[in-house]
Amino acid sequence: MKYRSDFVTNSSSSSFIVVYKSPADMVRAVRKFVKNYEDDEYSNQFRSVVYDIFKKKITYTEALKHVKYVAEYNARVKYQCDSEGYAKYGSYDAWRKSSEYKLLCKKHIEKELNTFKRKVSSDDYIAMLEYSNSDGFYDVRAELENMLDGVIFRIND
């Protein structure tokens, strides 16, 4: 089960929220991950991923804040230059001040939060992983969703 927000940026970094139903599930997935990639040319980066899963645990509330922040940003990006809104209100500024724009953004944010809440509970093991190209993580971050078991929310790219 994978989820990706439509987040566009010029940044060369990625952030992921990785979720396991229990610490035991996380350990099983990490062992499988290590076994599959221990001889890979990127094994140093993969070891860092394993370390991060163990060390960068966050609370459900913290994860929810990250998801909400990205959902708010995505909503603004998605709707701020809407041509129908522009045509209806006469300018992008007027459109962005309208209650219709605010309602669209609110619905988008609620949808993203509800998706997260359906897939993740406060009892889950949650880790926040953040990587950038400058860390030598380009190939790792590009494929992380395919390499790890568990629920992965890619919250920016």
Side-chain angles (χ1 to χ4, degrees):
M1 182 181 335
K2 303 207 181 350
Y3 175 84
R4 178 182 171 135
S5 293
D6 295 322
F7 186 88
V8 179
T9 179
N10 290 331
S11 170
S12 60
S13 65
S14 294
S15 298
F16 302 87
I17 295 176
V18 182
V19 182
Y20 298 100
K21 290 299 169 191
S22 71
D25 286 346
M26 183 269 299
V27 169
R28 276 192 291 277
V30 165
R31 283 185 180 150
K32 179 181 172 189
F33 178 74
V34 168
K35 182 180 176 188
N36 288 340
Y37 298 100
E38 65 187 342
D39 294 327
D40 192 279
E41 65 183 293
Y42 298 103
S43 61
N44 286 336
Q45 289 93 334
F46 297 142
R47 279 192 286 280
S48 293
V49 169
V50 170
Y51 177 83
D52 289 346
I53 290 170
F54 280 101
K55 296 296 181 181
K56 296 191 176 183
K57 185 176 188 292
I58 61 173
T59 66
Y60 178 83
T61 302
E62 290 170 316
L64 202 54
K65 285 179 186 176
H66 286 288
V67 171
K68 183 179 180 189
Y69 174 80
V70 172
E72 289 170 347
Y73 178 85
N74 289 342
R76 288 191 304 274
V77 168
K78 184 174 184 175
Y79 298 114
Q80 70 182 342
C81 294
D82 181 80
S83 58
E84 290 179 21
Y86 175 84
K88 188 174 182 179
Y89 290 90
S91 74
Y92 288 123
D93 191 48
W95 161 240
R96 287 188 293 268
K97 290 178 182 176
S98 73
S99 58
E100 186 178 354
Y101 169 80
K102 291 174 184 170
L103 182 61
L104 275 174
C105 289
K106 181 180 178 186
K107 286 182 180 180
H108 178 88
I109 294 163
E110 287 173 358
K111 180 182 172 197
E112 299 291 311
L113 289 172
N114 287 335
T115 298
F116 180 83
K117 289 174 183 177
R118 268 195 328 273
K119 295 179 180 182
V120 181
S121 81
S122 59
D123 295 329
D124 293 341
Y125 184 95
I126 306 168
M128 177 83 172
L129 311 179
E130 299 177 86
Y131 303 113
S132 70
N133 284 353
S134 61
D135 296 332
F137 273 90
Y138 180 76
D139 291 320
V140 174
R141 72 182 182 86
E143 294 299 323
L144 194 60
E145 292 169 284
N146 299 324
M147 295 186 300
L148 284 176
D149 290 336
V151 179
I152 299 179
F153 292 82
R154 184 179 212 153
I155 62 172
N156 74 349
D157 183 34

